[in-house]
mmCIF file of all heavy atoms in Angstrom:
data_model
loop_
_atom_site.group_PDB
_atom_site.id
_atom_site.type_symbol
_atom_site.label_atom_id
_atom_site.label_comp_id
_atom_site.label_asym_id
_atom_site.label_seq_id
_atom_site.Cartn_x
_atom_site.Cartn_y
_atom_site.Cartn_z
ATOM 1 N N LEU X 256 0.540 21.992 10.225
ATOM 2 C CA LEU X 256 -0.591 22.860 9.871
ATOM 3 C C LEU X 256 -1.403 23.179 11.115
ATOM 4 O O LEU X 256 -1.779 24.326 11.358
ATOM 5 C CB LEU X 256 -1.510 22.155 8.857
ATOM 6 C CG LEU X 256 -1.003 22.038 7.420
ATOM 7 C CD1 LEU X 256 -1.937 21.141 6.617
ATOM 8 C CD2 LEU X 256 -0.908 23.432 6.771
ATOM 9 N N GLU X 257 -1.669 22.141 11.908
ATOM 10 C CA GLU X 257 -2.507 22.303 13.086
ATOM 11 C C GLU X 257 -1.873 23.288 14.073
ATOM 12 O O GLU X 257 -2.555 24.163 14.601
ATOM 13 C CB GLU X 257 -2.727 20.940 13.764
ATOM 14 C CG GLU X 257 -3.846 20.949 14.773
ATOM 15 C CD GLU X 257 -3.981 19.616 15.502
ATOM 16 O OE1 GLU X 257 -3.326 18.636 15.098
ATOM 17 O OE2 GLU X 257 -4.743 19.579 16.486
ATOM 18 N N SER X 258 -0.556 23.144 14.271
ATOM 19 C CA SER X 258 0.023 24.022 15.288
ATOM 20 C C SER X 258 0.193 25.448 14.778
ATOM 21 O O SER X 258 0.316 26.366 15.586
ATOM 22 C CB SER X 258 1.336 23.447 15.840
ATOM 23 O OG SER X 258 2.180 23.106 14.791
ATOM 24 N N GLY X 259 0.141 25.658 13.460
ATOM 25 C CA GLY X 259 0.236 27.021 12.942
ATOM 26 C C GLY X 259 -1.105 27.736 12.818
ATOM 27 O O GLY X 259 -1.148 28.890 12.391
ATOM 28 N N ALA X 260 -2.201 27.071 13.186
ATOM 29 C CA ALA X 260 -3.532 27.649 12.929
ATOM 30 C C ALA X 260 -3.957 28.619 14.018
ATOM 31 O O ALA X 260 -3.452 28.587 15.132
ATOM 32 C CB ALA X 260 -4.554 26.522 12.812
ATOM 33 N N ASP X 261 -4.910 29.489 13.657
ATOM 34 C CA ASP X 261 -5.515 30.408 14.637
ATOM 35 C C ASP X 261 -6.650 29.710 15.363
ATOM 36 O O ASP X 261 -7.386 28.939 14.764
ATOM 37 C CB ASP X 261 -6.101 31.632 13.915
ATOM 38 C CG ASP X 261 -5.005 32.498 13.334
ATOM 39 O OD1 ASP X 261 -3.904 32.516 13.906
ATOM 40 O OD2 ASP X 261 -5.259 33.150 12.292
ATOM 41 N N ARG X 262 -6.822 30.039 16.631
ATOM 42 C CA ARG X 262 -7.893 29.419 17.399
ATOM 43 C C ARG X 262 -8.669 30.454 18.178
ATOM 44 O O ARG X 262 -8.113 31.442 18.623
ATOM 45 C CB ARG X 262 -7.316 28.468 18.462
ATOM 46 C CG ARG X 262 -6.643 27.279 17.927
ATOM 47 C CD ARG X 262 -5.615 26.740 18.887
ATOM 48 N NE ARG X 262 -4.742 25.825 18.176
ATOM 49 C CZ ARG X 262 -5.020 24.529 18.011
ATOM 50 N NH1 ARG X 262 -6.097 24.003 18.541
ATOM 51 N NH2 ARG X 262 -4.202 23.757 17.328
ATOM 52 N N ASP X 263 -9.970 30.208 18.354
ATOM 53 C CA ASP X 263 -10.623 30.821 19.505
ATOM 54 C C ASP X 263 -11.215 29.681 20.319
ATOM 55 O O ASP X 263 -10.873 28.509 20.079
ATOM 56 C CB ASP X 263 -11.626 31.917 19.106
ATOM 57 C CG ASP X 263 -12.869 31.373 18.465
ATOM 58 O OD1 ASP X 263 -13.105 30.153 18.547
ATOM 59 O OD2 ASP X 263 -13.615 32.155 17.856
ATOM 60 N N GLU X 264 -12.062 29.967 21.275
ATOM 61 C CA GLU X 264 -12.444 28.960 22.275
ATOM 62 C C GLU X 264 -12.675 27.556 21.698
ATOM 63 O O GLU X 264 -11.989 26.614 22.048
ATOM 64 C CB GLU X 264 -13.693 29.446 23.008
ATOM 65 C CG GLU X 264 -13.728 28.990 24.457
ATOM 66 C CD GLU X 264 -14.875 29.678 25.191
ATOM 67 O OE1 GLU X 264 -15.126 30.878 24.905
ATOM 68 O OE2 GLU X 264 -15.520 29.005 25.985
ATOM 69 N N ASN X 265 -13.661 27.426 20.799
ATOM 70 C CA ASN X 265 -14.046 26.097 20.304
ATOM 71 C C ASN X 265 -13.721 25.872 18.840
ATOM 72 O O ASN X 265 -14.106 24.864 18.273
ATOM 73 C CB ASN X 265 -15.552 25.889 20.475
ATOM 74 C CG ASN X 265 -15.894 25.684 21.929
ATOM 75 O OD1 ASN X 265 -15.270 24.849 22.586
ATOM 76 N ND2 ASN X 265 -16.842 26.458 22.424
ATOM 77 N N THR X 266 -13.103 26.860 18.218
ATOM 78 C CA THR X 266 -12.970 26.815 16.761
ATOM 79 C C THR X 266 -11.515 26.999 16.366
ATOM 80 O O THR X 266 -10.766 27.690 17.050
ATOM 81 C CB THR X 266 -13.854 27.911 16.125
ATOM 82 O OG1 THR X 266 -15.166 27.786 16.671
ATOM 83 C CG2 THR X 266 -13.920 27.777 14.624
ATOM 84 N N ILE X 267 -11.150 26.350 15.270
ATOM 85 C CA ILE X 267 -9.786 26.490 14.772
ATOM 86 C C ILE X 267 -9.880 26.898 13.300
ATOM 87 O O ILE X 267 -10.709 26.390 12.555
ATOM 88 C CB ILE X 267 -8.977 25.187 15.067
ATOM 89 C CG1 ILE X 267 -7.585 25.193 14.452
ATOM 90 C CG2 ILE X 267 -9.690 23.936 14.637
ATOM 91 C CD1 ILE X 267 -6.657 24.161 15.112
ATOM 92 N N PHE X 268 -9.111 27.922 12.914
ATOM 93 C CA PHE X 268 -9.244 28.547 11.597
ATOM 94 C C PHE X 268 -7.988 28.329 10.749
ATOM 95 O O PHE X 268 -6.869 28.477 11.259
ATOM 96 C CB PHE X 268 -9.426 30.071 11.748
ATOM 97 C CG PHE X 268 -10.657 30.454 12.511
ATOM 98 C CD1 PHE X 268 -10.619 30.594 13.892
ATOM 99 C CD2 PHE X 268 -11.853 30.668 11.838
ATOM 100 C CE1 PHE X 268 -11.764 30.941 14.600
ATOM 101 C CE2 PHE X 268 -13.000 31.023 12.549
ATOM 102 C CZ PHE X 268 -12.964 31.156 13.935
#
Side-chain angles (χ1 to χ4, degrees):
Chain X
L256 286 172
E257 194 184 350
S258 51
D261 291 330
R262 293 155 196 274
D263 71 14
E264 213 171 323
N265 287 309
T266 309
I267 174 161
F268 299 89

